[in-house]
């Protein structure tokens, strides 16, 4: 089974996202848990959640990959920004229990000239403050392109964050194909080698989700600009090899390509046609 979907707007609620996913032949999706500009999240409407859960069951959806606001910076130098990150993440994790057992992906953060050591310490400190034994959601660290002082540019950095987190059984990794390519991992010519390295450094059992994107920039550019599937440096052939890689069987693949909903529907259709069970 190929679990594939894209980012959907959450403004109309869970049921609307579920119906839109079905509409474009998706069986997973991503959405922002709250407005990236901050502020509190909308109150959950439990009948909307129930309606979504029914759709999800009827259509055998895979795991959802909720996305934390990208403005969240767990390792900011400013204490107020770190506090917002901690409170927003704790609240998101609580709210996600309405749709239990899914994933919550976040960008580890930017150390803003404090250095990677400080960055790692702050990020794991936040995780130690917000993760609970009771939560059913797995929190995913996203692999990043390494733009500026962005953390998570290497598997080693993610491993260190995981190592310093007490409830590390609640942690996994979301691999973004554009980001790792931009970070210097050659997913085009040596995807198996990249997975071997992931396994050696982090452990493949931590790999829970894939952000499936092409990249506008060459290997190692540290830029992070997504392209449509087949319109970037990664290319359609490599992406087809990735979705068919046996190590990734059953993982949710989320498109974050620059598309409107019709564009996503076309990409999903294209990828399904090029997937073999
Ligand atoms: Fe992301
Ligand atoms: Fe991503
Ligand atoms: Zn990106």
């Amino acid at each position: 089974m190929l679990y594939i979907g894209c980012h959907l707007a959450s403004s109309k609620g869970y049921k609307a996202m579920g119906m839109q996913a079905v509409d474009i032949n998706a069986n997973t999706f991503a959405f922002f848990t709250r407005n990236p500009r901050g502020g509190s999240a909308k109150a959950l409407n439990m009948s909307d959640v129930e309606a979504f859960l029914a759709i999800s069951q009827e259509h055998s959806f895979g795991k959802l990959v909720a996305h934390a606001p990208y403005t969240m910076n767990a390792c900011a130098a400013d204490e107020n920004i770190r506090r917002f990150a901690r409170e927003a993440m704790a609240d998101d994790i609580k709210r996600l229990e309405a749709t239990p057992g899914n994933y919550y992906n976040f960008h580890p953060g930017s150390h803003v000239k404090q250095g990677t050591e400080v960055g790692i310490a702050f990020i794991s400190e936040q995780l130690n403050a917000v993760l609970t034994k009771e939560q059913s959601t797995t929190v995913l660290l996203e692999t990043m392109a390494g733009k500026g002082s962005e953390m998570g540019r290497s598997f080693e950095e993610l491993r260190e964050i995981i190592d310093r987190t007490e409830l590390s059984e609640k942690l996994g990794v979301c691999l973004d194909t554009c980001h790792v390519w931009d970070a210097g991992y050659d997913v085009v010519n040596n995807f198996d080698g990249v997975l071997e390295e992931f396994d050696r450094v982090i452990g493949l059992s931590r790999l829970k989700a894939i952000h499936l994107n092409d990249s506008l920039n060459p290997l190692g550019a540290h830029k992070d600009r997504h392209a449509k599937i087949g319109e970037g440096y990664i290319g359609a052939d490599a992406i087809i090899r990735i979705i068919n890689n046996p190590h990734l069987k059953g993982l949710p693949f989320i498109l974050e390509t620059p598309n409107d909903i019709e564009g996503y529907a076309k990409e999903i259709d294209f990828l399904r046609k090029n997937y073999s069970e």
Side-chain angles (χ1 to χ4, degrees):
M1 174 65 87
L2 178 63
Y3 293 104
I4 189 155
C6 60
H7 257 276
L8 295 176
S10 58
S11 52
K12 291 189 181 128
Y14 273 103
K15 183 186 176 196
M17 289 192 284
M19 284 168 53
Q20 194 167 38
V22 170
D23 221 44
I24 59 173
N25 208 8
N27 50 1
T28 177
F29 58 87
F31 61 99
F32 284 109
T33 51
R34 61 182 63 226
N35 187 309
R37 293 285 145 218
S40 53
K42 260 202 310 196
L44 277 180
N45 169 344
M46 288 316 288
S47 69
D48 175 56
V49 170
E50 292 298 330
F52 164 73
L53 291 172
I55 294 170
S56 163
Q57 199 171 20
E58 188 189 337
H59 295 274
S60 309
F61 279 13
K63 303 269 192 196
L64 306 184
V65 191
H67 200 305
Y70 49 77
T71 45
M72 179 187 269
N73 188 2
C75 58
D78 181 333
E79 198 192 320
N80 290 318
I81 298 175
R82 291 202 306 276
R83 187 183 311 121
F84 164 75
R86 193 168 61 234
E87 289 172 0
M89 183 179 274
D91 185 50
D92 281 348
I93 290 173
K94 209 179 288 166
R95 293 157 52 82
L96 287 171
E97 284 305 310
T99 52
N102 288 306
Y103 297 141
Y104 176 63
N105 171 75
F106 80 109
H107 295 178
S110 288
H111 66 67
V112 282
K113 293 183 185 154
Q114 302 173 98
T116 57
E117 271 308 302
V118 173
I120 289 164
F122 276 144
I123 296 160
S124 43
E125 202 174 286
Q126 164 160 334
L127 291 167
N128 284 328
V130 304
L131 297 181
T132 69
K133 272 202 192 78
E134 294 73 31
Q135 71 181 70
S136 66
T137 302
T138 301
V139 174
L140 308 185
L141 297 151
E142 182 167 352
T143 61
M144 301 307 292
K147 197 173 54 181
S149 68
E150 210 167 53
M151 300 291 302
R153 65 175 68 211
S154 70
F155 297 158
E156 283 79 4
E157 281 184 13
L158 297 180
R159 171 62 196 263
E160 271 214 61
I161 295 165
I162 294 166
D163 278 348
R164 294 199 208 176
T165 303
E166 282 158 45
L167 290 173
S168 65
E169 69 269 26
K170 302 295 180 187
L171 289 182
V173 173
C174 172
L175 185 142
D176 185 309
T177 55
C178 166
H179 296 176
V180 291
W181 168 259
D182 279 33
Y185 293 95
D186 190 351
V187 298
V188 173
N189 299 299
N190 190 16
F191 187 64
D192 277 316
V194 172
L195 286 186
E196 271 165 36
E197 193 169 342
F198 188 102
D199 192 38
R200 182 177 58 78
V201 177
I202 301 177
L204 263 184
S205 62
R206 296 267 183 201
L207 182 56
K208 303 295 188 192
I210 307 290
H211 281 171
L212 197 63
N213 302 307
D214 211 325
S215 173
L216 282 180
N217 289 287
L219 180 66
H222 298 297
K223 282 277 177 30
D224 187 5
R225 290 183 65 213
H226 301 189
K228 293 181 186 175
I229 302 303
E231 295 186 12
Y233 277 86
I234 296 176
D237 290 349
I239 285 174
I240 289 167
R241 287 196 298 274
I242 290 169
I243 60 169
N244 284 290
N245 188 292
H247 295 294
L248 309 185
K249 230 180 175 45
L251 300 191
F253 290 89
I254 304 293
L255 295 160
E256 301 177 305
T257 44
N259 271 307
D260 53 15
I261 199 73
E262 287 82 23
Y264 280 134
K266 273 188 205 146
E267 285 187 344
I268 289 168
D269 186 51
F270 171 76
L271 294 165
R272 287 202 183 283
K273 281 194 180 115
N274 284 285
Y275 177 76
S276 42
E277 279 304 329

